């Protein structure tokens, strides 16, 4: 009887070991690596500016010539000027405030989950 219990426990421990190792991370994974994925910088995307047509990473990926880059800069300058002529002074002030303050927090920010003592 005792022998069957020992065999049962040994099999149970071997099965547990096999299960835990089968769910382990594969070698070469970046488990210890912290930070945003490649191509993104910490803190989210750069702030929006009036007139910007293409983000810098898109311009870099397109490998634009100097002439193309100058044409884009000129176009962005024209678009910014037109946007600023369309907006009222109050909207321009609001736009500056939005840029300086950053995006609003997500709806759940500042709310903490209830613990068991608060149920």
């Amino acid at each position: 009887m005792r022998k069957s219990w020992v065999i049962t426990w040994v099999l149970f421990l071997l099965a547990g070991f096999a299960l835990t190792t089968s769910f382990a991370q594969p070698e070469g994974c970046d488990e210890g690596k912290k930070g945003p994925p490649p191509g993104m910088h910490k803190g989210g995307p750069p702030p929006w500016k009036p007139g910007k047509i293409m983000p810098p990473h898109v311009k870099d990926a397109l490998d634009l010539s100097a002439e193309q880059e100058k044409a884009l800069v000129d176009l962005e300058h024209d678009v910014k000027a037109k946007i600023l002529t369309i907006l009222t002074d109050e909207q321009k002030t609001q736009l500056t405030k939005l840029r300086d303050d950053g995006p609003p927090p997500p709806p759940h920010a500042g709310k903490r989950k209830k613990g068991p003592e608060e149920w």
Side-chain angles (χ1 to χ4, degrees), residues 108 110-115 117-118:
H108 64 284
K111 296 179 183 175
R112 102 187 150 86
K113 294 183 179 180
K114 290 183 179 180
E117 66 279 353
E118 298 173 358

Side-chain angles (χ1 to χ4, degrees), residues 50-73:
K52 289 296 176 187
I53 296 172
M54 275 190 229
H57 72 279
V58 173
K59 289 179 185 179
D60 292 342
L62 293 175
D63 195 26
L64 301 172
S65 68
E67 183 179 311
Q68 289 173 317
E69 284 201 33
K70 184 181 178 334
L72 275 176
V73 168

Side-chain angles (χ1 to χ4, degrees), residues 87-100:
L87 298 177
T88 65
D89 289 338
E90 183 180 324
Q91 290 170 327
K92 290 175 190 176
T93 304
Q94 186 179 7
L95 184 64
T96 303
K97 185 177 183 315
L98 286 171
R99 184 194 64 220
D100 294 343

